[in-house]
């Protein structure tokens, strides 16, 4: 992943962030060893941010789009309140199998359900509501997920969208990549909607937090 901060800033942030527990270290190591694109996995700084945020939000129902190898699901599961549960969607059977193995070996196996298949189809079968949604897959089609996710979002729920800076490519949006175009259109669409409030954070590859505006259904 190309750095989008000053040289050394990412490394400094990581060095001054609480490190991963052993089970997450193992997931990260296997992901780097087996997967062609290990940078799809969130890093420890982003994982700790999500944990802080979920500790404040206290979500009982979490939906994740893009399980990959399970690192982010396991990070979030660690801080869920009593009875909290994560439904995580993964297109790749191979990635889902890696994730399931690490989930089963973790202390949080009863908090995570992996659903394999196209996420938009899976979402149709999920009634919700969800208190927190993490969208971290299918960047070219981000815009197609927004309304289905909002329909299943609890009144005070939050959607977090990863990779919204796309290595900085969204700034000029001229690289011809469908994912770049999809992310750029999604960011503009969310910012322009008066029924939503959003903030784009420059953590790692960018996280967009979205909630309903007050007084809106």
């Amino acid at each position: 992943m190309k750095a989008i901060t000053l040289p050394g800033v990412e490394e400094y942030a990581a060095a001054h962030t609480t490190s991963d527990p052993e089970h997450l270290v193992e997931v990260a190591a296997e992901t780097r060893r087996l997967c062609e694109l290990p940078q799809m996995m969130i890093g420890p700084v982003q994982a700790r941010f999500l944990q802080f945020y979920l500790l404040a939000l206290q979500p009982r129902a979490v939906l994740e789009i893009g399980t990959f190898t399970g690192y982010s699901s396991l990070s979030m599961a660690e801080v869920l309140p009593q009875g909290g549960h994560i439904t995580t969607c993964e297109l790749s059977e191979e990635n889902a199998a890696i994730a399931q193995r690490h989930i089963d070996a973790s202390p949080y196996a009863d908090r995570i359900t992996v659903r394999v298949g196209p996420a938009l189809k899976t979402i149709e079968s999920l009634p919700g509501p969800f208190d927190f949604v993490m969208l971290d897959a299918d960047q070219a089609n981000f815009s197609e997920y927004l309304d289905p996710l909002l329909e299943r979002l609890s009144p005070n729920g939050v959607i977090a969208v990863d990779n919204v800076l796309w290595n900085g490519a969204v700034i000029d949006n001229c690289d011809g990549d469908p994912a770049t175009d999809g992310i750029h259109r999604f960011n503009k669409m969310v910012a322009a909607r008066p029924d939503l409030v959003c903030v784009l954070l420059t953590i790692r590859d960018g996280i967009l937090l979205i909630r309903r505006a007050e007084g809106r259904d």
Side-chain angles (χ1 to χ4, degrees):
M1 180 175 293
K2 183 176 69 176
I4 58 174
T5 57
L6 291 173
V9 169
E10 290 275 350
E11 293 79 6
Y12 186 88
H16 295 83
T17 294
T18 300
S19 58
D20 282 338
E22 185 59 33
H23 67 274
L24 288 183
V25 171
E26 293 174 3
V27 177
E30 183 168 359
T31 301
R32 287 189 289 268
R33 187 172 68 252
L34 297 181
C35 297
E36 184 179 353
L37 297 172
Q39 67 269 27
M40 290 170 57
M41 177 178 59
I42 68 171
V45 173
Q46 193 172 354
R48 296 298 87 72
F49 167 78
L50 285 174
Q51 289 178 333
F52 268 86
Y53 193 76
L54 265 62
L55 276 168
L57 191 63
Q58 289 289 287
R60 295 186 62 82
V62 174
L63 174 62
E64 179 184 45
I65 311 300
T67 312
F68 195 33
T69 55
Y71 180 96
S72 52
S73 294
L74 287 165
S75 297
M76 292 188 288
E78 183 179 339
V79 296
L80 289 184
Q82 185 69 30
H85 193 81
I86 298 170
T87 301
T88 180
C89 305
E90 175 56 42
L91 180 62
S92 164
E93 293 185 4
E94 182 179 357
N95 290 340
I98 296 172
Q100 190 66 65
R101 179 159 44 79
H102 284 287
I103 290 166
D104 290 342
S106 78
Y108 311 113
D110 61 338
R111 302 183 186 182
I112 305 171
T113 298
V114 180
R115 296 284 298 269
V116 181
L120 284 170
K121 288 290 186 182
T122 302
I123 291 169
E124 289 178 2
S125 70
L126 301 173
F130 293 97
D131 306 309
F132 182 76
V133 177
M134 182 73 178
L135 176 56
D136 189 13
D138 200 10
Q139 287 80 8
N141 298 303
F142 268 177
S143 297
E144 296 183 28
Y145 290 82
L146 184 59
D147 284 332
L149 292 177
L150 286 170
E151 290 170 6
R152 292 160 177 81
L153 193 66
S154 63
N156 294 313
V158 173
I159 300 172
V161 187
D162 197 17
N163 302 123
V164 289
L165 293 178
W166 206 234
N167 292 326
V170 292
I171 294 173
D172 49 30
N173 192 34
C174 62
D175 63 1
D177 177 26
T180 303
D181 180 63
I183 295 166
H184 184 60
R185 284 188 289 106
F186 177 80
N187 292 343
K188 289 178 63 177
M189 178 182 71
V190 172
R193 284 186 54 160
D195 61 325
L196 301 177
V197 176
C198 63
V199 57
L200 199 160
L201 306 174
T202 55
I203 298 173
R204 202 163 184 254
D205 198 28
I207 302 174
L208 184 66
L209 299 179
I210 306 167
R211 66 171 176 84
R212 294 187 185 90
E214 292 184 9
R216 305 273 183 169
D217 294 329

